[in-house]
Amino acid sequence: MSKMLSKLRGFFSSRTLVGVDKVGNRYFTRKEEIDGATKEKRWVIFKGEEDPTSIPVEWICWLNGQRKKAPTPEEMIELEARRERVRQNVACKGGSLDLKSFIQQFPGASFDHNRGFEEVSDEIDGTKNKDRSSEPTGSGESFKPGTWQPPT
């Protein structure tokens, strides 16, 4: 029992606070020697209820070892400002995608809510649609399995 208590005491005494996110979650690290190799353990202590969705992406990457250095407060402020600009840009564009205006960007296409997509013109890029079938073509009765050779 005392061995377990000393291990638990060592766990909390040798930890280093690396940072805090805007929600108040605290991120820690400590070095452990396992089989002669020094490993870095990283973890988070949540503020309030444990909600993994409250962890910012930058901290998730650090926890998983995808980043060597923890995000700095300046970096977090810059990234939060960028996220806010994206939110504002989405809000300025109406907040939702307008399928009709999106489809109008493509020549020769239209959208009817009852029928879906359809070609408006018979001609695209100077070729007639009749020349291009949407159905695959094959050799029919002359087909022999295993005889296909790539073109030379």
Side-chain angles (χ1 to χ4, degrees):
M1 181 75 170
S2 65
K3 188 176 182 180
M4 190 167 109
L5 285 175
S6 67
K7 201 169 191 174
L8 187 61
R9 191 173 346 112
F11 176 76
F12 287 107
S13 65
S14 65
R15 69 184 184 180
T16 305
L17 178 65
V18 177
V20 179
D21 63 18
K22 74 175 192 172
V23 179
N25 299 328
R26 296 177 299 155
Y27 300 88
F28 295 92
T29 185
R30 76 179 150 93
K31 303 272 186 200
E32 257 185 18
E33 194 167 320
I34 301 174
D35 297 332
T38 304
K39 301 261 184 176
E40 185 180 45
K41 299 290 183 180
R42 300 172 176 182
W43 70 95
V44 60
I45 295 181
F46 293 96
K47 180 179 182 183
E49 187 177 327
E50 285 191 25
D51 181 17
T53 61
S54 70
I55 301 176
V57 174
E58 300 77 29
W59 283 107
I60 291 172
C61 291
W62 178 79
L63 287 169
N64 291 327
Q66 295 170 334
R67 315 175 47 131
K68 292 185 181 196
K69 295 181 179 179
T72 62
E74 295 81 19
E75 179 185 2
M76 295 300 293
I77 290 169
E78 181 183 324
L79 291 169
E80 187 59 36
R82 182 181 297 158
R83 288 184 186 110
E84 185 59 34
R85 283 194 307 271
V86 169
R87 278 189 216 108
Q88 289 174 355
N89 286 341
V90 169
C92 288
K93 295 187 189 231
S96 65
L97 295 175
D98 180 20
L99 185 59
K100 186 175 181 180
S101 64
F102 176 75
I103 292 172
Q104 288 175 349
Q105 298 174 13
F106 303 100
S110 71
F111 183 78
D112 182 2
H113 287 283
N114 297 326
R115 294 186 298 177
F117 290 100
E118 66 180 29
E119 290 295 326
V120 174
S121 172
D122 281 352
E123 198 169 317
I124 298 175
D125 298 336
T127 60
K128 293 281 185 184
N129 284 337
K130 293 180 231 171
D131 298 341
R132 293 181 287 162
S133 172
S134 62
E135 295 296 320
T137 59
S139 54
E141 295 175 7
S142 64
F143 173 74
K144 295 178 186 151
T147 58
W148 182 84
Q149 294 292 321
T152 56

